[in-house]
Amino acid sequence: MTRTPSPEAVPPPKIPPSPEAVPSLEVTGLAYAYPDGHQALFGVDLTVAPGERVALLGPNGAGKTTLVLHLNGILSGGVGSVAVAGLAVEKRNLAEIRRRVGIVFQDPDDQLFMPTVREDVAFGPAAAGLRGAELAQRVQEALEQVGMAGFADRPPHHLSFGQRRRVAVATVLAMRPEILVLDEPSSNLDPASRRELAEILRSLDVTVLMVTHDLPYALELCSRSVVLSEGVIAADGRTQDLLCDDALMRAHRLELPFGFDPRSVTVA
Ligand SMILES: Nc1ncnc2c1ncn2[C@@H]1O[C@H](COP(=O)(O)OP(=O)(O)OP(=O)(O)O)[C@@H](O)[C@H]1O
Ligand SMILES: [Mg+2]
């Protein structure tokens, strides 16, 4: 005798999620202690949709860099999970993850290690298989984007901090990542370079997570902000709303520059 399952027992058909439904970044319950025992993250949940630009705010020592270093598996071994475009950040996926996620480190000296600027910017695309004229073109474009094309043959360690930061941004742009993570990108940039970097970020069709203490920059570039404080997400909302919340700002040591009124800024 054949048994007909009751309607309740029939599993719903598996519909594959549409690409837009898969978050660019999905961090779930992430907790992490450094090998010396210092715990920096205490259960972080963060979802970023494709194409979103999100600012990650928070005081010194909040865990921002620690979180960023989990996004392409530089740090691992804690509790919880991280996925990038639906791909779990774990050893077997790291090559693919690192192609998709470009991280501009807080310290450009962690990013630049070749004898010349050109070789540093070529390093990633060459490792991904680009050669010859295509590679040269990719390097040239990335250096032009950050206004450093005239420095291609210089050793990175002879450049100023701001110039090294711009080259560090170029090394990541040259990879054309889907997700761009920048750890304090505007620090040490002169006002023109800061504005030019904002224009680059706005022009790219990528997901951006930007750690910054530069709150006007966050307001200008990111409609959404997340506040990380003492290793947990303390707030997540519209950047303008968060910056206008005096109690929240004080509680997490966030301060606006003298004379800056976030209410007076018209944002998209
Ligand atoms: N390698 C390490 N070993 C042990 N503790 C560390 C290490 N790196 C960072 N920490 C600690 O982890 C906590 C979070 O540091 P993290 O660098 O993530 O802060 P942050 O939010 O990026 O701060 P900042 O705004 O100063 O860049 C801090 O208390 C810090 O002292
Ligand atoms: Mg940091």
Side-chain angles (χ1 to χ4, degrees):
M1 188 181 95
T2 52
R3 289 190 344 147
T4 329
S6 69
E8 293 82 6
V10 178
K14 279 218 168 69
I15 304 167
S18 68
E20 306 84 64
V22 176
S24 272
L25 283 178
E26 191 157 38
V27 178
T28 312
L30 186 65
Y32 179 78
Y34 280 99
D36 70 353
H38 183 92
Q39 185 157 355
L41 300 176
F42 289 83
V44 169
D45 295 304
L46 175 65
T47 302
V48 178
E52 254 193 311
R53 280 200 302 265
V54 177
L56 182 58
L57 313 177
N60 290 139
K64 304 179 299 294
T65 296
T66 307
L67 173 58
V68 161
L69 295 179
H70 278 85
L71 302 181
N72 73 354
I74 294 172
L75 289 181
S76 61
V79 175
S81 66
V82 180
V84 168
L87 209 58
V89 179
E90 51 190 44
K91 222 175 197 157
R92 64 194 165 94
N93 294 332
L94 283 192
E96 178 63 21
I97 298 270
R98 288 179 184 172
R99 261 195 297 277
R100 294 184 184 196
V101 184
I103 299 188
V104 178
F105 296 122
Q106 185 162 3
D107 183 347
D109 294 341
D110 289 341
Q111 203 130 24
L112 308 174
F113 47 85
M114 298 297 280
T116 65
V117 164
R118 185 194 313 284
E119 286 164 280
D120 254 325
V121 179
F123 187 86
L130 248 61
R131 295 285 181 269
E134 206 184 351
L135 179 60
Q137 172 73 13
R138 186 70 78 86
V139 170
Q140 178 69 14
E141 271 175 30
L143 285 173
E144 277 171 7
Q145 274 183 296
V146 299
M148 290 297 288
F151 293 73
D153 295 313
R154 300 272 300 272
H157 60 277
H158 286 177
L159 305 182
S160 76
F161 190 93
Q163 290 170 333
R164 276 179 280 151
R165 156 93 61 221
R166 284 153 64 183
V167 173
V169 171
T171 63
V172 170
L173 293 180
M175 291 296 287
R176 306 218 174 128
E178 289 165 42
I179 301 159
L180 198 51
V181 180
L182 306 112
D183 199 345
E184 298 188 29
S186 65
S187 69
N188 293 78
L189 292 188
D190 61 40
S193 306
R194 177 180 175 280
R195 177 184 48 73
E196 284 158 9
L197 179 61
E199 284 164 9
I200 293 169
L201 295 179
R202 256 197 299 267
S203 72
L204 298 173
D205 184 21
V206 295
T207 307
V208 173
L209 182 69
M210 182 175 83
V211 175
T212 189
H213 296 293
D214 182 343
L215 301 178
Y217 212 51
L219 183 60
E220 182 186 341
L221 283 170
C222 304
S223 57
R224 175 181 167 206
S225 287
V226 171
V227 176
L228 187 69
S229 192
E230 298 181 1
V232 294
I233 301 286
D236 182 346
R238 280 186 68 230
T239 304
Q240 194 162 33
D241 294 345
L242 300 190
L243 299 192
C244 291
D245 185 338
D246 296 337
L248 176 86
M249 295 285 282
R250 255 196 315 278
H252 302 292
R253 297 178 54 81
L254 298 171
E255 284 187 16
L256 296 163
F258 177 74
F260 180 78
D261 180 1
R263 292 165 189 84
S264 69
V265 177
T266 314
V267 290

